[in-house]
Amino acid sequence: MEKAIFTDSGQVTPTIFIICGVTGDLAQRKLLPALLSLYVKKLLPHKFKIVGFSRREFSDQDFRLFLREEMHINHNVYRPEDIHRFLNNIVYQQGQFDISTAYENLAKKLLHIDEVEFKQCSNKLFHLSVAPSFYETILGHLSNSGLTIPCGGNLGWTRILVEKPFGNDIETAKKLDILLGTLFKEEQIFRIDHYFAKEALQNILAFRFSNSLFEPLWNNKYIDCVHIQLLEKIGIEGRGTFYDSVGALKDVGQNHILAMLALLAMDKPDAFDAQSIRKKRANVLKNLLPINKNICDSVVRAQYIGYSEESGVLANSTTETYFQLKTFIDTKVWKGVPFYLESGKALNENRAEISIYFKDTTGKDKTNVLSLRIQPDEAIKIRFWIKKPGFDMETEAKTLSFHYKDFHSTDSIPDAYERVLYDAIIGDQTLFTSTDEVKYAWRFITPIIDMWKTTPLYKYKKGSRGPDSTDQS
Ligand code: BG6
């Protein structure tokens, strides 16, 4: 899709971006910096406003001062006048999420902006930047107060951005989906899994379907196994209460890791549009073989030493901060190919990567490996074998590689949240999770969680490669 650039003369309908929970970490760390970047790149509608909605008391002026302190702004990148102009587009509305007058006041504020500033009905994009336990309350009030109804018939749209986790298991996900479905049409709902918006992940489809070299090998005849890893050096970063109730499998396994798996394994879509791509991604998740027997053979779960002393974490917590799963996709193309999924916190490296191991046809353990590095140092690498110079027929492994950093700086990689917000404004749902994907991901994960507690919980040292299976708690 050709991307729109919203220049000063752009005719795009004015848009108000409403952030519920604007004083929180996500808004300060990701959403507002992404909006600032889009603003400076002129990738926001010319008439654009941000309304922060939260519980604390602020005047607009005090809120902007708060943002100057709290918002993650890279001052080496932006000119002070751009930051100043951006902040002037932000206003604040105080309100308790469970009180209906708060939404009436919010509605008045939005109407005032439309009537006095824009002099027309504007698009409304709501982002729930709050703990999932508030979703039901906020969605209900947004609906009751009429805020979810577009103000001008076909003129302005209303969309809602929801962050993962979408529910806590298959039942709660279903409940959330029903609630969303009663308040919004599917084309208004944008479920964020920011991994889809990572540049190197978007490249998977381009790489697979633009190079005839690889696609014929993309099946169980040639591929021996696939490893998908999301390894992090950071721990739980002050999110103890949330993380302890979730754990690694739900935090990143149910979403980011399965997003990588789906893109890697999906069939070629009939067209490269949102509907066709999401359908093929969902089909992969639908065909994941359930892990319900011999779970101990397929699962490793572990916790880093010192986790239970983190603030917000229960002293006797058995929440995992690391997992490894072995799973299979029950389709003709992938039957018998193990997919190893691994993620952990407080490890010795930061790396998100997919490695495809091809079958060794030499009988000499000479595997070709194709690695798709998602972050950091986004890259594609191929390990192949060559003859070493000399009189003997000895071979040695070499690597062909491409690094995104070799692109010119003008092609710098947009942050995933920039892409997410931009696509929500232009209404492209390709990089958002569909209701089927959510359903099938939970259908796969929920039985594992149900059996979780019967599997051993290994321990590992912070900053290590992960658990040593002999080091059981
Ligand atoms: C979030 C998880 O969804 O993804 C975090 O809640 C995790 O625990 C993060 O650290 C990883 O995302 P990224 O973009 O930093 O790789």
Side-chain angles (χ1 to χ4, degrees), residues 258-299:
L258 291 185
M260 293 195 249
L261 171 80
L263 283 170
L264 197 274
M266 66 183 251
D267 290 337
K268 189 171 182 175
D270 303 331
F272 281 89
D273 56 33
Q275 201 190 6
S276 317
I277 293 175
R278 296 197 320 166
K279 194 167 151 198
K280 294 292 182 193
R281 289 196 316 236
N283 197 47
V284 174
L285 305 180
K286 183 179 175 185
N287 284 296
L288 283 172
L289 266 190
I291 301 178
N292 46 21
K293 282 187 287 195
N294 304 329
I295 183 166
C296 293
D297 298 341
S298 309
V299 171

Side-chain angles (χ1 to χ4, degrees), residues 164 194-195 198 232 234 239 251-252 256 345 375:
K164 61 104 211 164
H194 74 283
Y195 261 64
K198 289 193 185 266
E232 295 183 289
I234 55 166
R239 299 157 75 215
D251 184 39
V252 299
H256 306 332
K345 296 262 186 212
Q375 65 185 33

Side-chain angles (χ1 to χ4, degrees), residues 214-422:
F214 300 104
E215 198 52 23
L217 309 181
W218 223 256
N219 54 55
N220 56 4
K221 187 162 172 212
Y222 296 102
I223 293 179
D224 187 50
C225 64
V226 178
H227 287 226
I228 300 180
Q229 296 169 303
L230 195 176
L231 312 177
E232 295 183 289
K233 273 188 180 174
I234 55 166
I236 52 169
E237 306 279 288
R239 299 157 75 215
T241 313
F242 163 76
Y243 195 88
D244 202 39
S245 67
V246 174
L249 186 60
K250 287 187 190 175
D251 184 39
V252 299
Q254 186 271 347
N255 36 74
H256 306 332
I257 294 247
L258 291 185
M260 293 195 249
L261 171 80
L263 283 170
L264 197 274
M266 66 183 251
D267 290 337
K268 189 171 182 175
D270 303 331
F272 281 89
D273 56 33
Q275 201 190 6
S276 317
I277 293 175
R278 296 197 320 166
K279 194 167 151 198
K280 294 292 182 193
R281 289 196 316 236
N283 197 47
V284 174
L285 305 180
K286 183 179 175 185
N287 284 296
L288 283 172
L289 266 190
I291 301 178
N292 46 21
K293 282 187 287 195
N294 304 329
I295 183 166
C296 293
D297 298 341
S298 309
V299 171
V300 177
R301 62 189 292 264
Q303 188 187 76
Y304 65 79
I305 297 165
Y307 169 76
S308 52
E309 282 120 56
E310 302 267 13
S311 149
V313 172
L314 293 178
N316 56 354
S317 169
T318 57
T319 297
E320 82 287 354
T321 58
Y322 172 98
F323 70 84
Q324 214 187 101
L325 293 184
K326 177 172 144 191
T327 182
F328 294 90
I329 303 168
D330 194 17
T331 59
K332 213 169 136 210
V333 175
W334 292 110
K335 208 174 221 38
V337 179
F339 283 75
Y340 295 96
L341 317 180
E342 181 187 16
S343 185
K345 296 262 186 212
L347 297 175
N348 62 346
E349 63 173 329
N350 269 329
R351 183 161 56 85
E353 189 162 53
I354 303 175
S355 307
I356 301 146
Y357 291 79
F358 288 88
K359 285 187 174 158
D360 170 32
T361 50
T362 65
K364 293 181 184 156
D365 209 12
K366 298 212 182 309
T367 316
N368 294 122
V369 185
L370 169 61
S371 308
L372 307 173
R373 173 68 72 90
I374 310 303
Q375 65 185 33
D377 186 17
E378 294 83 345
I380 297 176
K381 294 183 194 164
I382 301 172
R383 185 173 77 179
F384 63 104
W385 297 84
I386 53 138
K387 178 188 170 300
K388 270 166 88 172
F391 295 97
D392 297 322
M393 191 41 120
E394 259 188 71
T395 54
E396 189 175 302
K398 291 284 174 202
T399 305
L400 273 175
S401 59
F402 155 73
H403 294 261
Y404 274 76
K405 62 174 185 262
D406 296 341
F407 272 119
H408 296 300
S409 56
T410 47
D411 299 316
S412 68
I413 299 178
D415 175 76
Y417 268 89
E418 284 181 46
R419 186 59 202 257
V420 159
L421 299 175
Y422 180 82

